Amino acid sequence: MLRNIRNNIQGTGAKVIIAIIIVPFALFGIDSLFNSSAPSAAAVVNGEKISAAELQQAITLQKRRLLSMMGDQIDPSMLDDAMLRKPALNTLIKQQLLLQAAKDENIEISTAQLNATIAAMPQFHEDGRFSQERYQQVLRLQGYNGSFFKQLLASDLVIQQLSTAVVGSAFITDAELARSVGLLHESRDFHFINLPLATYTQNISVSDEEISGYYAANTESFLSDEEVRFSYIELTEAQFYEPVSEDQVQAEYQRLVNTSNAQAEREAAHILIDITDDRSRETALAELQKIRADIVAGANFGDQAKKYSVDAGSATSDGLLGFTSGDSFPIEFEEALADLTVDELSPVVETEAGLHLIKLVSLRKPEVPNFDRARLEITEQLREQKARPRLVGAVDTLKDLVFNAESLAMPADEMQLQVQLSDWRSQQSDEGLFAYPAVKQAAFNAELRNQGLNSDVIELSSDRYVVLHIDEYKAPEPKSLESVKTDIELILVENKAEAAAEIQAQSLQAALAAGGRAEDVAKKQGLTWNAIMDGKRSDINIDAAVRNQAFSMPRSQSQTSVSTLRKNNGDRVVLQLLDIRYGDISTLKENVVLEAKKNAYRNKSSQEFSAYFNSLWENAEIKIN
């Protein structure tokens, strides 16, 4: 089918049609192709729609989270929209149900609360204070705009208030606390007998007939790995590097210096004297000139600011106003500040607020290394800057050529590139290009192989791309008996050992269930036994598998409680439960009881909220499209 599509999209007429289709795609999206006044909703929850755009946005956010967690190691299939659609939609439905419930309860978040929450978030802070620039930078990195982020945060805060209200209604009765303490501080006495699998493998033999029979019955378990060999074209940024002249390097260095100076941030302090009905401009100017003279003579600027400045916000902090990039204060203020050196005092500056005495407290700007140190890095950057657009153009050209080509020979010839040939590679290989999951996935793509198609151009990194064509394929086939004989022998020995261990374990269980003592039963059969007295659920000195089994065994009223455990390594353990003692709250220290109450409350709160949400879900009218 793909080949038919390719063969029928050639020619000028087809290209005109494609161009016509692309315009509404670019301007209005795919929905513009359909005569519909409103796109269908992805789901409807109690009459409120979750739009397809909201769902796509949720899927996109989930992709970003996955990429931030796993980076280049992520399996491309995990980013498939079809795979992410269901969990993303479920999340949106749950959120919608909770927001509707919060609305019914008149729970709202004010703009002031929202802004205060944002201002308090440490990821938006610089030097311990909220930074608008940092705020915008973080949002851009996460792919949010301000309004969308506030919308998400407001929804989260509303749901959080609802959750707090629901769990706040939870309480623990004395009986519930006693039961919780009883289980948490329960202790048990039990004996157990170990049956290590290794002791049963020592004297087991396997005949050639058994090996042959197992091989014949399980041939499909001994197949070779499927393998491929493929040709490929690689595009890298380095292929488009060109020489960079000394003049270009020096010009770029000067640009960096200028940029550093332009990005300088100045920390300002000031003393403000305002002009009022009681204080004329002349009086204010005289006061400020006197203050300036005192500071020049040795008076402390901070002390003078505390004593005379009418700016209450900065006066108590020695007149400090913080850093500015040149746009935080009135233009007259900024121009005067830009003319100062560190610790220098300005002349009197007038703004709408009044008269200022300005001091440049400190200056910070991006550090630029000296020219000799920066030369190599600048040269590489210039080479990359020139090569990048050429690489992007070449990638687009390669995409067009390989889409319509029967092999890689024609695209390589057109673009004067080299077709390279891989070695035989299996799914287990992680060498070379197979270190990239997308390449491995394409190399074993049955559709590409069966139809003789080239793969898509695969982005390995921002400066490296590859396209491949599957040349040869080896399907899995049965390995020879001789090559797997040792493996089969080990399997058969282990199977026989497991069977023998299980038989003995059942025999021991029967003996203990009949009233035998673990010590006597174990000694009679030459086995080791262990006694645990007053064992706790939290006792890390007891093997976890044995401990979990012992605490899952029921108390038996009529006979001894006995069970058999098979551990992951094949060992058997036969356990005999002797006694159970539940925790008694009256015997515990006050701090232990307090912690137990907290744990019980947390568990009860979680149960309460789960029950509350389940009731919302069960009573909701939910339609998924």
Side-chain angles (χ1 to χ4, degrees), residues 232-262:
Y232 64 96
I233 295 174
E234 192 170 2
L235 278 178
T236 65
E237 195 172 78
Q239 293 169 334
F240 300 93
Y241 283 168
E242 292 181 345
V244 177
S245 69
E246 182 70 9
D247 289 345
Q248 290 173 314
V249 175
Q250 290 181 345
E252 177 63 15
Y253 180 77
Q254 187 58 49
R255 188 190 69 80
L256 293 175
V257 172
N258 294 340
T259 300
S260 174
N261 292 334

Side-chain angles (χ1 to χ4, degrees), residues 92-364:
L92 291 176
I93 292 173
K94 292 174 182 177
Q95 183 185 54
Q96 185 63 252
L97 284 172
L98 292 171
L99 288 174
Q100 290 174 0
K103 184 178 180 181
D104 292 341
E105 298 296 333
N106 297 318
I107 296 175
E108 296 179 349
I109 296 295
S110 68
T111 302
Q113 285 177 292
L114 186 61
N115 291 337
T117 301
I118 293 174
M121 296 173 78
Q123 58 265 48
F124 302 139
H125 285 196
E126 281 188 355
D127 299 326
R129 290 183 293 181
F130 176 79
S131 164
Q132 182 68 25
E133 182 180 351
R134 175 67 176 166
Y135 171 68
Q136 297 292 345
Q137 180 185 30
V138 172
L139 293 194
R140 283 196 301 270
L141 290 173
Q142 296 298 322
Y144 298 140
N145 58 43
S147 61
F148 179 56
F149 174 73
K150 287 184 176 181
Q151 178 186 340
L152 288 180
L153 181 59
S155 296
D156 287 345
L157 292 174
V158 166
I159 291 173
Q160 185 179 357
Q161 282 198 20
L162 175 66
S163 172
T164 301
V166 173
V167 301
S169 64
F171 63 92
I172 300 295
T173 66
D174 291 343
E176 288 174 322
L177 178 60
R179 175 173 172 75
S180 176
V181 169
L183 292 174
L184 186 64
H185 293 275
E186 174 188 348
S187 65
R188 295 192 172 201
D189 299 339
F190 57 94
H191 295 168
F192 63 95
I193 302 172
N194 287 310
L195 301 176
L197 187 64
T199 61
Y200 298 90
T201 62
Q202 297 171 359
N203 299 315
I204 292 177
S205 61
V206 178
S207 68
D208 289 341
E209 289 77 12
E210 288 176 305
I211 293 174
S212 299
Y214 187 89
Y215 175 78
N218 299 276
T219 305
E220 69 282 354
S221 300
F222 301 101
L223 299 179
S224 63
D225 295 329
E226 59 177 340
E227 293 183 297
V228 293
R229 281 211 313 177
F230 56 91
S231 51
Y232 64 96
I233 295 174
E234 192 170 2
L235 278 178
T236 65
E237 195 172 78
Q239 293 169 334
F240 300 93
Y241 283 168
E242 292 181 345
V244 177
S245 69
E246 182 70 9
D247 289 345
Q248 290 173 314
V249 175
Q250 290 181 345
E252 177 63 15
Y253 180 77
Q254 187 58 49
R255 188 190 69 80
L256 293 175
V257 172
N258 294 340
T259 300
S260 174
N261 292 334
Q263 293 176 344
E265 293 182 308
R266 292 172 170 82
E267 186 180 17
H270 80 144
I271 298 172
L272 173 66
I273 302 295
D274 57 357
I275 300 170
T276 65
D277 293 340
D278 298 327
R279 184 189 294 118
S280 67
R281 183 183 183 283
E282 291 73 19
T283 302
L285 179 61
E287 289 182 19
L288 205 53
Q289 287 175 333
K290 172 66 169 58
I291 294 170
R292 188 181 192 284
D294 290 344
I295 294 172
V296 170
N300 182 270
F301 184 95
D303 292 341
Q304 298 294 93
K306 291 175 182 176
K307 186 174 182 180
Y308 297 109
S309 181
V310 300
D311 180 7
S314 66
T316 56
S317 302
D318 297 335
L320 288 174
L321 293 170
F323 283 90
T324 175
S325 300
D327 55 4
S328 300
F329 307 122
I331 187 169
E332 303 89 349
F333 191 108
E334 293 283 3
E335 288 176 350
L337 182 65
D339 289 337
L340 300 176
T341 58
V342 175
D343 290 331
E344 185 180 1
L345 205 59
S346 74
V348 174
V349 177
E350 184 172 0
T351 70
E352 289 184 355
L355 303 180
H356 306 259
L357 197 59
I358 304 169
K359 178 182 178 182
L360 178 60
V361 179
S362 66
L363 179 69
R364 65 184 183 190

Side-chain angles (χ1 to χ4, degrees), residues 13 25 29 31 151 178 243 251 255 272 282 360 471 514-515 568 582 614:
F25 271 19
D31 290 335
Q151 178 186 340
R255 188 190 69 80
L272 173 66
E282 291 73 19
L360 178 60
D471 296 324
N568 290 336
Y582 294 108
N614 288 339

Side-chain angles (χ1 to χ4, degrees), residues 582-601:
Y582 294 108
D584 184 352
I585 195 170
S586 65
T587 65
L588 301 178
K589 294 181 179 179
E590 183 178 351
N591 64 318
V592 177
V593 174
L594 181 60
E595 186 61 32
K597 284 183 178 179
K598 290 180 180 179
N599 287 333
Y601 180 76

